[in-house]
Amino acid sequence: RSTAMQASRQLGVTNMGLQKAIQRLTTGKRINSASDDAAGLVAGTTAEANAANASQKVIGDNNNYFAAQSSDGFLQEATNQALRLAELEGSGNTTSAEYTAVLGLYTAASTAGGGTGAGTDSTTALTEINAQRSTLAATMATNQSAANMDGIKAEGQTSIADSIMGADVGAETVNLTKYQILMQAGTSALSNANQASQSVLKLFQ
């Protein structure tokens, strides 16, 4: 009877090992609960949170970059209109209907690009546009760099999380095979132990 109890207990231990190997292979994670590695779980989930935070920042950085790029596109159109104003000024047509219309087009494009649209001639228009485009250039450069930095952080933190929490697929595959064999052997040993116990009991009947 004692042998059967030992075999039954060991079979339970083997089954737990088998279930853990299956879980790690199906989830791809070495740590699936605090009981697997409490300290590793804290470090791994912290790295995962840092990676998620950095990934969202990359999205924000890119949004800011493309918003500035869009504004710069409007200001390019404002520049085109300011250059037309310069042509009209050069030909002495500053009082023409076209000049008034072009000035209005400059104002609309400049305002759409985040400028003031306060220019009254080609010189003041270009001064206003160029100052705004210089600011946008700085915004684009800053956000492009930030996106790169946050992207690097996200990649690094993801790698850290994977190294801490990721399963060793090769090792777990070996464990799976080992525990499957042990389960078969243990089941057979338990059956034999139970039969032996029954045989002993029959001797006392």
Side-chain angles (χ1 to χ4, degrees), residues 111-127:
T111 303
T116 63
T120 56
D121 55 31
S122 63
T123 300
T124 55
L126 286 171
T127 298

Side-chain angles (χ1 to χ4, degrees), residues 69-153:
Q69 188 179 59
S70 177
S71 294
D72 189 58
F74 286 116
L75 292 179
Q76 177 57 53
E77 177 57 23
T79 299
N80 294 338
Q81 299 304 325
L83 293 175
R84 180 56 183 158
L85 288 176
E87 291 176 349
L88 292 170
E89 289 163 1
S91 60
N93 290 312
T94 57
T95 59
S96 66
E98 182 184 3
Y99 191 87
T100 301
V102 171
L103 190 59
L105 293 173
Y106 143 75
T107 300
S110 173
T111 303
T116 63
T120 56
D121 55 31
S122 63
T123 300
T124 55
L126 286 171
T127 298
E128 185 262 333
I129 292 168
N130 290 334
Q132 183 63 14
R133 293 188 83 176
S134 177
T135 299
L136 289 174
T139 298
M140 285 188 280
T142 298
N143 280 281
Q144 187 173 45
S145 178
N148 290 335
M149 295 290 286
D150 288 326
I152 291 169
K153 181 178 180 180

